[in-house]
């Protein structure tokens, strides 16, 4: 779809990492706390799909979490800037999203859940963080800029929408479009159906067995993250595991996309998408081209894994 400049700027807002890095770091840890509540109470699903959050019309949600014969869910609302806990027996608890330490957020959430007779013990050490501080002791991370939290969510809304459109082209095993709070990133993953070699592991503060189970089968994965490390800006990415020979040298689209040897992923800067005449087309082009590189070089059985393009059109 082609948007006017003003409509495009609202739907695909600017998200410079340097302008909100402190908020991003704090929000990352808040989502880990909420995600670990889901992890602690949910039955294990392959590839850790039971731990993720999902984009909603107002923020991010755990979706329903079982608690005995009851169920509850936790929702981030980046419009009203509050966190809501709702239980199936009608209970509701809220807390404001505002500048506060991770420790304060953790205590407030646990206290609010207790008022609904929802009690859970989570592992309080963050995952996939280089120098983790336990949630209940973290007084360092305390920033919250509501404008940038809202912008981040608005980007997730667009990425979620386009990823779901891309997902319809594949009829093989495929993940939901979901938000992993470890990185954190919004991702969708396709599977060839074949077993993969054992993953070497080595993700900071994540048990190797979790990584190896997640990558038990061959994948072509793509996603969005707000940036960091060797790519200090918001970007879309795509990778394959195991990476087939020649993948890093594949010609992909659009022209702004490149292969990062540090990440072993193709990267497309977010700004190149949001500034395109049609951000949807630019992003879909990247997703398709990088998938084709992985599938063709990896010798996937594409004829049985993909839907005819005509079948993806609405009636």
């Amino acid at each position: 779809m082609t948007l006017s400049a003003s409509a495009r700027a609202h739907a695909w807002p600017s998200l410079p990492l340097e302008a909100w890095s402190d908020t991003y770091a704090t929000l990352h840890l808040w989502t880990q706390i909420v995600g670990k509540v889901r992890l602690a109470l949910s039955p294990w699903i392959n590839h850790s799909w039971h731990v993720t959050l999902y984009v909603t019309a107002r923020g991010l949600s755990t979706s329903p979490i079982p608690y005995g014969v009851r169920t509850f869910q936790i929702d981030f609302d980046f419009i009203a800037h509050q966190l809501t806990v709702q239980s199936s027996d009608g209970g509701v608890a809220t807390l404001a999203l505002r500048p506060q330490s991770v420790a304060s957020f953790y205590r407030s959430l646990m206290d609010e859940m207790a008022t609904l007779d929802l009690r859970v013990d989570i592992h309080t050490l963050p995952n996939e963080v280089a120098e983790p501080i336990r949630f209940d002791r973290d007084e360092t991370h305390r920033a919250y800029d509501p404008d940038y939290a809202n912008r981040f969510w608005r980007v997730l809304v667009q990425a979620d929408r386009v990823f779901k459109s891309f997902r319809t082209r594949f009829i093989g095993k495929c993940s939901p479009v979901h938000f992993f709070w470890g990185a954190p990133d919004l991702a969708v993953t396709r599977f060839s159906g074949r077993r993969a070699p054992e993953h070497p592991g080595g993700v900071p503060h994540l048990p190797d067995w979790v990584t190896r189970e997640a990558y038990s089968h061959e994948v072509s994965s793509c996603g969005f993250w707000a940036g960091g490390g060797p790519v200090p800006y918001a970007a879309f990415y795509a990778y394959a595991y195991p990476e087939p020979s020649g993948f890093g040298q594949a010609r992909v689209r659009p022209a702004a996309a490149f292969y990062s040897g540090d990440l072993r992923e193709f990267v497309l800067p977010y700004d190149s998408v949001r500034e395109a005449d049609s951000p949807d087309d630019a992003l879909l082009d990247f997703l398709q081209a990088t998938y084709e590189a992985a599938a063709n070089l990896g010798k996937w059985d594409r004829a049985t894994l993909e839907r005819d393009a005509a079948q993806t059109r609405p009636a």
Side-chain angles (χ1 to χ4, degrees):
M1 78 180 59
T2 302
L3 300 173
S4 69
S6 60
R8 185 171 65 242
H10 178 77
W12 299 83
S14 173
L15 194 68
L17 181 60
E18 65 275 10
W20 77 298
S21 58
D22 289 344
T23 292
Y24 180 41
T26 301
L27 187 57
H28 179 196
L29 296 167
W30 291 357
T31 63
Q32 289 218 6
I33 293 168
V34 171
K36 286 188 177 222
V37 171
R38 186 179 185 209
L39 166 62
L41 296 173
S42 300
W44 191 277
I45 298 176
N46 51 293
H47 316 299
S48 299
W49 293 351
H50 62 300
V51 309
T52 57
L53 306 180
Y54 306 95
V55 176
T56 72
R58 299 185 68 93
L60 290 167
S61 175
T62 59
S63 76
I65 300 170
Y67 193 87
V69 296
R70 303 159 66 203
T71 190
F72 73 100
Q73 69 184 48
I74 306 175
D75 295 311
F76 286 93
D77 183 333
F78 296 122
I79 297 175
H81 299 288
Q82 63 183 19
L83 189 81
T84 303
V85 185
Q86 301 177 81
S87 62
S88 57
D89 54 3
V92 179
T94 63
L95 60 114
L97 299 179
R98 57 177 176 79
Q100 61 182 305
S101 70
V102 169
S104 175
F105 177 89
Y106 171 77
R107 289 191 296 268
S108 295
L109 176 58
M110 294 301 154
D111 288 346
E112 292 296 333
M113 290 180 61
T115 68
L116 304 180
D117 197 24
L118 299 168
R119 293 175 172 82
V120 58
D121 292 322
I122 66 172
H123 184 57
T124 59
L125 193 69
N127 296 112
E128 302 184 49
V129 175
E131 297 178 355
I133 306 170
R134 292 191 179 276
F135 301 136
D136 55 344
R137 302 175 188 173
D138 187 349
E139 299 290 344
T140 301
H141 300 96
R142 54 175 54 246
Y144 185 78
D145 183 324
D147 175 55
Y148 276 97
N150 178 269
R151 291 191 196 197
F152 178 55
W153 160 70
R154 282 154 56 199
V155 175
L156 293 179
V157 166
Q158 300 306 321
D160 181 73
R161 179 179 59 78
V162 177
F163 287 176
K164 284 174 177 172
S165 176
F166 176 65
R167 188 179 186 272
T168 66
R169 303 176 181 181
F170 197 75
I171 59 175
K173 176 181 172 180
C174 189
S175 78
V177 179
H178 46 195
F179 183 86
F180 276 103
W181 39 263
D185 59 339
L186 187 75
V188 61
T189 302
R190 296 175 171 187
F191 293 78
S192 73
R194 300 188 300 242
R195 294 285 302 189
E198 185 176 85
H199 195 282
V203 179
H205 302 285
L206 187 70
D208 287 345
W209 71 265
V210 174
T211 308
R212 287 168 180 155
E213 196 275 341
Y215 290 99
S216 60
H217 291 70
E218 292 180 346
V219 302
S220 171
S221 191
C222 57
F224 168 82
W225 93 109
V231 181
Y233 47 80
F236 296 96
Y237 67 82
Y239 66 88
Y241 182 79
E243 183 177 302
S245 178
F247 182 69
Q249 292 74 49
R251 297 175 65 88
V252 302
R253 305 178 301 274
F258 65 93
Y259 183 79
S260 167
D262 292 320
L263 297 175
R264 301 192 67 82
E265 299 175 351
F266 280 102
V267 174
L268 177 63
Y270 167 68
D271 281 349
S272 72
V273 172
R274 75 178 187 87
E275 293 168 357
D277 289 339
S278 174
D280 286 35
D281 289 344
L283 179 51
L284 284 168
D285 210 20
F286 174 72
L287 302 177
Q288 185 65 29
T290 52
Y291 160 70
E292 288 179 357
N296 291 339
L297 292 169
K299 296 181 171 54
W300 289 27
D301 186 1
R302 294 184 59 188
T304 63
L305 293 171
E306 298 173 26
R307 188 191 309 273
D308 184 271
Q311 294 178 288
T312 65
R313 300 188 189 118

